């Protein structure tokens, strides 16, 4: 937003004046004028398409696979519990029938804005004064506090959250052992046995918000309340198949348990209870095939939308439960996080646009006391002359220009022409009071490493070509500005003045006392200097092609970039190919010291070492500079430190370990293009207001807090989400509903200052059961994942995992206490329908790259990069990363009639377990960051030939999938293209692996089959048993 304190004038405001023009600027003058007679319609324009959608279809990103690192050790079993036992060899491959496959995206069914004028019916919350949220008006000088607003930390504390990098799935080094067992032909040894997975039995209710009745697979036996001893599982036919070798190996792990044996389906109807049972008994009935699995992907909660049709879409705001507890005591029994995930610029649902509103002469209508923006839930009274704020209950005057008569029902006559009174999401044009300076132009500044490795890897060439190819599509023409600095052991500035025909390069070698030569011509208007910029990008790779310099004066270069950019702000893209070695901010090879692993100091490797990085991030945020870090080295580069720059400036980390243009070039091209061309909100601030009695007490994601509740986001886009937790401030809430309003004040690329407002309401309840019924697993998992990653910045990985496990145990224990006794569920594990996937996602969080295994199982940089990435992911994207798609494609490829169907109709997602893999099949694993094609050992050679051409028998690590001249190949390529287009935020690289190919198969796929027990990590069955046992303790 507007601004920050840097000396800009304060905005005049009634309540308080805040220096920010931004978002929720407190200070806009309240419109208190008396009611006037005429009503005026405000112009309403549809939101410009350009503003809301990225132009390119690219999706980029994922981290490339990490090259197999040799050093990996198999993970230690974090969550393993001690269940002795062993599993029988499994049957192996099941030919899986295809299961019905729901739309991955789920949910689109609802209607957003049915017109009913809802407002009048709602009872306005009564109440006292302004919610605490208001406070923020004043925007104090920005203090740098990482996450928790509450406890202001000054610059110091390590960030608790990180984000953006390569997604978790990225390659982890194969543990040597890991290849293990599992691989050797796990399937062939067994004849396909029962098709248990295939949807039949499991009848999973489709996740209705309120299940009224469902069929639950319940094993006849209760989870054997094995309370006291380790359960032993009887072997069962359909169980998890494992290769004998694997089983043998697993003897090392006490926790290894045999698959359950007979399956029995017991149908129960918990109709009024919304309970689900898990087949729990160890003995006879533990049927893992019936365990809940999110094979339909994320399903957005829709009960919220049905109850309150004028709420904003859940893609913008998802509460962890749509039923807000009415007391602190009730909240304390909930145990799960109480909060929300907000993605303020999420792309609008297809066919819908966020309306753009100009209040014109009446000024923006906001509550005089709490600064809430007028929304569908305010009520008009006194013949239309006054309106009551739904958040603080303040009775405000309606400005004359905004006046409208009311009809007999109290509804404004002009309601249908006022989107802000009927829709939960609107975009408001902000007048000059919301600016502390003229809206900035879009600015892209590039800081590029041109040392030896940057050249050799091909990074420099790909980056230069991609930037050049995007010049026509950078947002904001003709105001867009651009500039470059390159560096190795010295800094290179480029004069891009439009009157030149070639850029002039100036070298600065004094790293201790940086000065910027020609400060006015280093950042230039792109349209004016287009020729010079193109000439520069064309010549850049050549200029340094023979550069043998190995040093990296990254810190001084960063300072120089800051000096060039701090007049206006903008987006700074950093391309770093090695460990910063010279000048301020130089880093050490601390991540290479194994002595720290496993000690109490281990976490320090995951936080920035030098305060230089946090300080630079704070300075950049203050001056509206958002940083994205692109890192490419195959050696340790201290992503923990570099990523801090992105974390506190609202940016993102892209990690391409061991970058080679021939392999990762496409990925970089797509992801960089997406980054450069997606619609971006500049100089933004975001605040979320909520009703009296509750307040947001902590925030988690990539941003910097400017005051207790104001998030500074120098540059934000549709791919960024933020999680936050709520606290009840009052012992008892007296209102029947609680309102939430997200306001993002920003400068659009077109130069308009705007406020994007999302409003929603949720009921206040006195019943814990209702809170559970209204729980949203996706939102809860998003909060948990962020909390867990933050925890790794101050504790051991084991502690972070245990924390997640304990949180789930407490929540399910409470739920059990609520229901078990009267229904004699005895030894069963029970959970609400709404949370049926929570245990599995909890396990997935523990197995995700930031938390997985031991310190040495995954390279430190990879772990940190994944953490930075996950901290920013929107809900759907995060859930897909945690429980990726796995589907079989060979049968579909062979079926000529299957071509025109929608993917979801043809391809069914499979459980992420080795037993889902048939050695006669071809499978695709897709976590949103990479696609792995797994070729079964017994796959028909014809298919392999069709798809791979002459390379069909080659070492697949060297083969790149390319379209061949035959229908099958084209069909597969179309499928891959579609998968990428469906989720353009990152560009998954396509990797090929053959069954049994070690160690690639292990780290590309097997390690990611999270339901399996591997290398010491807990499998789904054991995880459920552990949870159940712990839940029963002290139950
Ligand atoms: Zn108010």
């Amino acid at each position: 937003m507007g601004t920050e304190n840097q000396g800009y004038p304060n905005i005049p405001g009634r309540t308080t004046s805040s220096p920010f023009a931004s978002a929720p600027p407190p200070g806009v003058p309240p419109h208190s004028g008396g009611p006037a007679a005429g009503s005026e319609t405000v112009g309403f324009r549809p939101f410009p398409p350009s503003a809301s959608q990225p132009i390119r279809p690219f999706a980029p990103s994922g981290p490339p696979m990490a090259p197999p690192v040799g050093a990996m050790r198999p993970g230690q079993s974090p969550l393993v519990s001690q269940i002795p036992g062993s599993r029988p060899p499994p049957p192996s491959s099941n030919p899986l029938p295809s299961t019905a496959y729901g739309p991955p995206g789920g949910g689109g069914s609802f209607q957003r804005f049915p017109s009913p004028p809802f407002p009048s019916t709602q009872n306005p919350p009564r109440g006292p004064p302004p919610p605490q949220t208001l406070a923020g008006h004043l925007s104090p000088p920005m203090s740098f506090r990482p996450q928790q607003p509450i406890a202001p930390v000054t610059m110091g504390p390590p960030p608790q959250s990180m984000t953006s990098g390569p997604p978790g799935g990225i390659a982890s080094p194969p543990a040597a052992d890991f290849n293990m067992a599992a691989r050797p032909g796990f399937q062939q040894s067994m004849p396909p046995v029962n098709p248990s997975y295939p949807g039949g039995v499991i009848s999973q209710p489709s996740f209705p918000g309120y299940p009224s009745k469902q069929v639950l697979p319940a094993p006849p036996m209760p989870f054997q309340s094995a309370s006291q001893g380790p359960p032993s599982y009887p072997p069962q036919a359909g169980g998890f198949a494992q290769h004998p070798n694997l089983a043998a190996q697993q003897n090392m792990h006490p926790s290894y348990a045999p698959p359950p044996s007979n399956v029995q389906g017991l149908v129960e109807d918990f109709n009024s209870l919304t309970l689900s049972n898990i087949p729990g008994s160890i003995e006879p009935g533990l049927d893992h095939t019936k365990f809940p699995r999110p094979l339909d992907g994320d399903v957005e909660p829709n009960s919220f939308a049905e109850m309150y049709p004028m709420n904003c879409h859940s893609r913008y705001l998802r509460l962890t439960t749509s039923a807000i507890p009415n007391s602190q005591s009730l909240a304390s029994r909930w145990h799960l996080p109480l909060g929300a995930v907000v993605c303020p610029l999420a792309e609008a649902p297809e066919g819908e646009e966020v309306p753009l509103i100009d209040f014109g002469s009446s000024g923006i209508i906001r509550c005089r006391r709490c600064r809430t923006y007028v929304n569908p839930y305010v009520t008009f009274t006194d013949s239309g002359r006054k309106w009551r704020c739904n958040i603080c209950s303040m009775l405000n005057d309606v400005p004359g220009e905004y006046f409208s008569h009311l009809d007999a029902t109290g509804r404004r006559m002009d309601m249908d022409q006022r989107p802000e009174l009927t829709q939960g999401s609107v975009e408001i044009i902000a007048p000059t009071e919301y600016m502390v300076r003229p809206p900035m132009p879009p600015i892209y500044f590039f800081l590029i490493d041109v040392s030896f490795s940057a050249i050799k890897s091909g990074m420099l060439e790909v980056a230069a070509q991609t930037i050049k190819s995007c010049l026509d599509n950078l947002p904001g023409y003709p105001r867009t500005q651009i500039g470059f600095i390159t560096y190795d052991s010295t800094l290179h500035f480029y004069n891009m003045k439009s009157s030149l025909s070639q850029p002039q390069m100036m070298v600065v070698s004094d790293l201790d006392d940086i000065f910027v030569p020609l400060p006015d011509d280093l950042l230039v208007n792109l349209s004016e200097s287009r020729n010079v910029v193109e000439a520069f990008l064309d010549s850049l790779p050549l200029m340094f092609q023979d550069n043998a310099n190995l040093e990296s004066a990254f810190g001084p270069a960063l300072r120089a970039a800051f000096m060039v950019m701090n007049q206006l702000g903008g987006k700074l893209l950093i391309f770093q190919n090695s460990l910063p070695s010279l000048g301020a901010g130089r880093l050490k090879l601390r991540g290479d010291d194994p002595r720290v692993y496993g000690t109490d100091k281990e976490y320090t490797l995951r936080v920035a070492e030098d305060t230089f990085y946090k300080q630079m991030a704070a300075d950049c945020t203050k001056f509206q500079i958002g940083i994205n870090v692109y890192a490419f080295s195959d050696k340790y580069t201290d992503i923990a430190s570099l990523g801090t720059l992105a974390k506190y400036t609202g940016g993102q980390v892209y990690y391409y370990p061991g970058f080679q243009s021939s392999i990762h070039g496409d990925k970089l091209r797509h992801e960089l293009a997406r980054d450069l061309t997606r619609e971006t909100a500049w100089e933004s601030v975001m605040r979320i207001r909520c009703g009296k009695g509750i307040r947001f007490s902590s925030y988690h994601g990539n941003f910097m807090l400017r005051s207790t509740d104001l998030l500074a986001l120098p540059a934000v886009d549709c791919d960024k989400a933020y999680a936050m937790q709520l606290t009840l401030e009052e012992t008892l809430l007296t209102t029947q509903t609680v309102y939430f309003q997200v306001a993002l004040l920003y400068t659009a690329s077109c130069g308009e200052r705007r406020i994007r407002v999302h409003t929603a309401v949720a009921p206040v309840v006195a019943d814990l059961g209702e809170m559970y019924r209204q729980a949203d697993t996706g939102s809860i998992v998003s909060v948990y994942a962020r909390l867990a990653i933050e925890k790794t910045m101050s504790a051991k990985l084991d502690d972070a995992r245990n924390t997640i496990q304990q949180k789930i145990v407490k929540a399910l224990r409470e739920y059990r206490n609520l229901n078990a006794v009267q229904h004699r569920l005895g030894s069963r594990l029970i959970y609400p329908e709404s949370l049926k996937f929570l245990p599995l996602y909890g396990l997935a969080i523990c197995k995700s790259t930031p938390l997985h295994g031991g310190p040495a199982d995954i390279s430190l940089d990879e772990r940190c990069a994944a953490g930075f990435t996950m901290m920013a992911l929107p809900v759907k994207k995060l859930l897909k990363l945690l429980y990726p798609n796995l589907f079989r494609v060979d049968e579909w490829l062979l079926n000529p009639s299957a071509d025109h169907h929608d993917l979801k109709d043809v391809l069914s997602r499979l459980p992420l377990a080795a037993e889902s893999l048939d050695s006669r099949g071809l499978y695709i694993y897709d976590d949103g960051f990479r696609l792995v094609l797994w070729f079964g050992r017994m796959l028909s050679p014809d298919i392999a030939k069709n798809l791979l051409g002459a390379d069909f028998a080659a070492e697949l690590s060297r083969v790149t999938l390319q379209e061949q001249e035959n229908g099958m190949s084209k069909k597969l390529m179309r499928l891959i293209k579609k998968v990428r287009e469906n989720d353009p935020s990152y560009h998954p690289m396509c990797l090929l692996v053959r069954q049994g190919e070690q160690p690639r198969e292990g780290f590309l796929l097997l390690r990611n089959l999270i339901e399996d027990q591997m290398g010491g990590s807990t499998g789904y069955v054991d995880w459920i048993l552990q949870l159940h046992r712990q839940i029963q303790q002290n139950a």
Side-chain angles (χ1 to χ4, degrees), residues 131 367-372 387 389-394 396:
C367 174
R368 190 165 84 230
R369 180 163 57 194
C370 74
R371 312 307 302 151
T372 289
W387 64 275
C389 172
N390 55 314
I391 291 210
C392 76
S393 299
M394 175 82 181
N396 292 274

Side-chain angles (χ1 to χ4, degrees), residues 928-988:
F929 292 85
R930 64 178 174 181
L931 292 172
V932 177
L933 254 65
W934 184 86
F935 289 76
R937 179 174 290 157
M938 302 175 67
L939 176 69
S940 150
D942 289 344
I943 294 180
K945 282 178 191 163
N946 280 332
L947 302 179
L948 305 176
D951 291 329
F952 83 97
E955 174 77 21
L956 292 186
S957 61
R958 304 204 185 99
V959 177
T960 302
L961 189 66
Q962 290 175 330
E963 187 167 300
Q964 307 292 329
E965 282 306 314
N966 63 72
M968 185 180 291
S969 173
K970 291 178 192 296
K971 192 169 174 179
L972 179 67
M973 297 308 281
R974 280 197 298 275
L975 168 65
I976 290 172
K977 180 163 178 273
K978 181 149 187 175
V979 165
R980 286 173 170 159
E981 287 172 351
N982 283 345
D983 177 10
S985 58
Y986 287 89
H987 182 80

